[in-house]
Amino acid sequence: MNVDLQNPDTQGTIIYWFRNDLRIEDNQALIDACQNAEKILFVYCHSPSTLHASRWQLPHPGLHRQRFLATALADLRQQLVTRGNQLLEVCACAAEFLPLLARESGSSVIYCEDIAAPYEQDEVLALSAAGLTVHTRWQSTLIDPVDLPFMPDALPDVFTQFRTIIERESVQAPVPLTGPQSLPPLPDNYSQIASKWAIDTHSADAQLSTDISDAQMDQRSSFPYFLPEFSGGSTAACAHVERYLNRKLPHTYKQTRNQLSGLDYSTKFSPWLASGAISARQIFNALKKFEEEHGANEGSYWIWFELLWRDYFRFLHLKYGRRLYFAKGLTDLPIPTHDAGKFTDWCLARTGEAFIDAGMAELAATGYLSNRMRQVLASYLIHELGCNWRAGAAWFEAQLIDYDVYSNQGNWLYIAGRGTDPRNGRRFNIQKQANDHDSDGSYRRLWGKPGSAAND
């Protein structure tokens, strides 16, 4: 939902609602808000109802993702304070809370990023229905939709066709925007507002750290978010990108990207991209500078390729919207079957298939999985266990540190054969995948249960 910003409200207090854009740099919506505000109130709503997983009676976001998000918000809070403002964090549904906040602060205008998924669109519609003026800005893709050589509803239904057009037409990603170094002041009554609604972030963070025991800070993790260099927030994100490039890892990315364990086999950009602590444009801009200095090769090209896939899943939402969330997806296939017992066994890593159970054990222990294992696990649930793909998508939503509504939905549709891919789904041969990617059994031993076949 893009709103015309040619005649923005330039008076009084503006509310900036952080969603999946937890950064100040390269944040067009935030820049617009600051340019048009006399005073500004930054808010983040912790709302468990954002989970589509609730439809399947699954748990709220796991502790791993909660902790990663907490560190991202802590970093954002500090950056706002440095620039002369603060972050109001509340435990509330945004659609219900923001109208109350607007009345309390004397505001009628909200700025936020645009998210083209059903629940997130409904939030904005609810705010508009409550009488608020909501300015949304599309800003999560590498390529701006206005720069596409076709209208979003003419997006090719095959990724390769999309990529070919983008590269043939030399479509360029915009240069990242510089964020404001100082921010408009808080509303005069901010202290009263904060005392009424703000959560105690220090107590919440302390409780979360207590809940995440030493045992859950699993040293086997391929994304050890409990280490400072893998914490949430733009500070850690930018430092990670710099380290990754300085070590010249882009040059080997394509060779290693299908590995299952370790810190360096993949870029590990996804958790920060998912929360918006860093933008795709910031990463790509840094990658181009790397290629200018150290040369481009197939590995560095493949990072662009993956960022383009990420864009494609977002643009599919602009074309198809809610249809991507139907049980049939975009197809006329029958409603998918579901076996609740087998689904539970899959979630709890007790299918009896050592390779699958190792992957599900890793997900539970760390909140992270390699892209290869995500595809294998999804294929097994859908094609071998005969379960509903939307249940699997919901479980990943509840568990993954780097859950992203667009990529999660797009990948599950792809594996289920209910999206746009002409191959009608991907059914992986589990034994072949194990032989190809875990030929020595090290992954199964790493995550297998003691005494299981995986450890024999």
Side-chain angles (χ1 to χ4, degrees):
M1 181 184 298
N2 286 308
V3 178
D4 183 5
L5 296 175
Q6 295 302 312
N7 296 298
D9 186 294
T10 57
Q11 301 296 317
T13 297
I14 285 176
I15 295 171
Y16 188 83
W17 172 28
F18 279 106
R19 303 178 87 186
N20 295 331
D21 58 335
L22 304 183
R23 64 183 184 275
I24 294 176
E25 299 300 316
D26 197 36
N27 188 329
Q28 182 69 70
L30 184 146
I31 293 170
D32 291 341
C34 291
Q35 288 176 343
N36 295 296
E38 292 179 1
K39 297 180 180 180
I40 194 163
L41 203 168
F42 294 98
V43 61
Y44 183 87
C45 297
H46 295 266
S47 176
S49 62
T50 58
L51 266 183
H52 302 104
S54 60
R55 299 173 183 171
W56 297 91
Q57 298 182 324
L58 298 179
H60 296 322
L63 287 173
H64 301 296
R65 184 151 124 239
Q66 288 183 49
R67 183 55 185 160
F68 186 74
L69 174 62
T71 57
L73 290 168
D75 185 73
L76 179 61
R77 284 198 302 269
Q78 184 56 48
Q79 293 196 40
L80 292 174
V81 167
T82 300
R83 290 165 174 80
N85 207 285
Q86 295 186 46
L87 178 64
L88 176 68
E89 290 186 51
V90 299
C91 287
C93 170
E96 298 173 357
F97 173 72
L98 292 179
L100 300 176
L101 180 63
R103 288 197 291 272
E104 192 85 7
S105 62
S107 175
S108 62
V109 180
I110 293 176
Y111 281 71
C112 62
E113 76 159 331
D114 189 11
I115 303 176
Y119 179 88
E120 290 78 0
Q121 290 285 294
D122 287 346
E123 287 183 306
V124 173
L125 290 172
L127 295 175
S128 297
L132 299 175
T133 300
V134 186
H135 296 297
T136 65
R137 172 71 74 168
W138 182 268
Q139 57 184 22
S140 68
T141 47
L142 181 63
I143 297 170
D144 194 310
V146 302
D147 294 330
L148 293 172
F150 43 76
M151 296 300 292
D153 60 3
L155 177 78
D157 279 341
V158 177
F159 170 74
T160 300
Q161 295 175 1
F162 164 73
R163 177 180 59 82
T164 299
I165 294 171
I166 294 299
E167 294 181 340
R168 185 183 66 218
E169 300 294 328
S170 299
V171 179
Q172 301 297 312
V175 175
L177 300 170
T178 301
Q181 294 305 302
S182 61
L183 302 168
L186 289 158
D188 294 339
N189 64 338
Y190 178 75
S191 294
Q192 294 95 311
I193 291 172
S195 63
K196 184 174 182 179
W197 281 310
I199 64 172
D200 183 344
T201 55
H202 294 295
S203 296
D205 289 351
Q207 182 60 51
L208 191 54
S209 296
T210 300
D211 291 341
I212 300 177
S213 65
D214 290 341
Q216 289 172 297
M217 295 184 182
D218 203 308
Q219 302 302 316
R220 299 170 293 177
S221 176
S222 292
F223 193 92
Y225 65 88
F226 44 84
L227 299 178
E229 58 267 35
F230 287 93
S231 64
S234 62
T235 301
C238 292
H240 174 77
V241 171
E242 184 177 1
R243 281 195 307 273
Y244 186 82
L245 299 178
N246 285 344
R247 297 175 63 202
K248 300 182 182 179
L249 290 174
H251 284 160
T252 58
Y253 171 69
K254 192 179 180 186
Q255 301 168 27
T256 63
R257 66 191 177 90
N258 279 321
Q259 293 177 14
L260 306 183
S261 295
L263 300 180
D264 297 335
Y265 69 84
S266 65
T267 67
K268 302 301 191 300
F269 298 157
S270 61
W272 291 293
L273 280 169
S275 69
I278 196 168
S279 73
R281 292 171 188 171
Q282 287 175 285
I283 291 173
F284 183 67
N285 189 58
L287 178 65
K288 296 307 291 182
K289 291 179 180 178
F290 167 85
E291 290 182 326
E292 290 169 3
E293 183 176 354
H294 301 290
N297 72 351
E298 193 175 35
S300 61
Y301 167 81
W302 216 255
I303 297 176
W304 148 261
F305 180 92
E306 299 291 359
L307 289 172
L308 211 56
W309 254 116
R310 181 178 179 272
D311 270 15
Y312 185 66
F313 283 142
R314 282 161 161 71
F315 294 146
L316 279 177
H317 278 68
L318 295 181
K319 181 175 182 177
Y320 290 110
R322 294 175 189 272
R323 289 182 60 194
L324 297 170
Y325 294 80
F326 293 172
K328 293 184 178 182
L330 304 178
T331 72
D332 292 323
L333 294 171
I335 296 292
T337 60
H338 189 61
D339 186 312
K342 290 181 179 179
F343 176 64
T344 298
D345 287 340
W346 179 81
C347 292
L348 299 179
R350 61 186 190 196
T351 67
E353 179 64 59
F355 194 49
I356 298 301
D357 289 346
M360 296 306 293
E362 180 187 11
L363 176 60
T366 71
Y368 190 82
L369 283 168
S370 67
N371 184 62
R372 173 58 54 175
M373 282 307 300
R374 295 180 199 207
Q375 294 189 58
V376 170
L377 295 172
S379 173
Y380 187 80
L381 180 73
I382 296 166
H383 301 298
E384 309 304 329
L385 298 183
C387 291
N388 192 315
W389 67 275
R390 293 196 301 174
W395 184 254
F396 273 21
E397 177 181 357
Q399 298 297 312
L400 286 169
I401 290 173
D402 60 352
Y403 166 73
D404 170 274
V405 63
Y406 302 107
S407 295
N408 191 59
Q409 200 73 7
N411 278 308
W412 277 91
L413 282 163
Y414 173 72
I415 299 295
R418 296 174 182 269
T420 60
D421 187 74
R423 287 176 290 186
N424 297 317
R426 298 295 306 279
R427 184 171 188 167
F428 289 93
N429 181 310
I430 303 305
Q431 293 307 318
K432 183 178 186 304
Q433 292 296 310
N435 291 337
D436 288 349
H437 303 289
D438 188 36
S439 58
D440 63 356
S442 59
Y443 181 77
R444 279 163 285 184
R445 286 193 296 275
L446 183 67
W447 293 107
K449 298 175 182 177
S452 71
N455 290 310
D456 290 346

